[in-house]
Amino acid sequence: MLGISMLLESCGTSVPLFKTNTHNDSISIPVNEFSGGKNMVIVRVPKLENDILLVKKEDHFNALNLRCTHEGYGLTPTSKRIVCSAHGSTFDFDGNVLKEPALKPLKKFNTEIIDNNIIIHLT
Ligand code: FES
């Protein structure tokens, strides 16, 4: 599957953007998108209303829906946290609320690694 990588500038940090499409309600991202010490990639799929932040953890990947759990605005990842510019909520890279008014953690999609691809399951 082909994807397009580019840099998205946000709050002085650059998080790579990976554009792709869904296949059977899942998304595939090559593991090598995380080469060179990268630990985050924004995944953009036309079918989805919000981007997904794919975060490399020690032994797994977190796939977080970048939709604020307060009133549904889109979220912006920075180098230290995920920020909602609407009313100031912030989240960590596990999706937990760091600062209200949001009360619930971010929606997390299941992931697995198959043949050097990270698969994000949307259902
Ligand atoms: S919609 Fe994000 S803090 Fe209100």
Side-chain angles (χ1 to χ4, degrees), residues 68-75 84-89 91 100-102:
C68 187
T69 55
H70 178 229
E71 290 185 358
Y73 282 71
L75 297 170
C84 182
S85 59
H87 314 105
S89 290
F91 302 85
E100 298 180 6

Side-chain angles (χ1 to χ4, degrees), residues 7 17 28 37 43 50 63 67 76 94 115 117:
L7 292 179
L17 178 65
S28 175
V43 180
N50 296 97
R67 177 186 172 91
T76 303
D94 288 311
D115 295 335
N117 289 298

Side-chain angles (χ1 to χ4, degrees), residues 38-113:
K38 282 185 236 162
N39 61 357
M40 288 192 288
V41 170
I42 293 173
V43 180
R44 182 164 296 167
V45 177
K47 176 180 166 184
L48 298 180
E49 192 178 334
N50 296 97
D51 292 339
I52 294 172
L53 183 65
L54 191 57
V55 183
K56 185 178 184 183
K57 306 295 281 189
E58 238 173 65
D59 59 353
H60 67 281
F61 287 86
N62 280 344
L64 303 170
N65 193 16
L66 287 176
R67 177 186 172 91
C68 187
T69 55
H70 178 229
E71 290 185 358
Y73 282 71
L75 297 170
T76 303
T78 70
S79 60
K80 296 197 170 129
R81 58 186 67 88
I82 302 166
V83 176
C84 182
S85 59
H87 314 105
S89 290
T90 61
F91 302 85
D92 67 16
F93 295 120
D94 288 311
N96 300 310
V97 176
L98 295 174
K99 189 172 156 219
E100 298 180 6
L103 298 173
K104 293 183 185 166
L106 300 182
K107 178 181 170 74
K108 217 186 256 189
F109 298 101
N110 289 329
T111 63
E112 62 179 331
I113 298 177

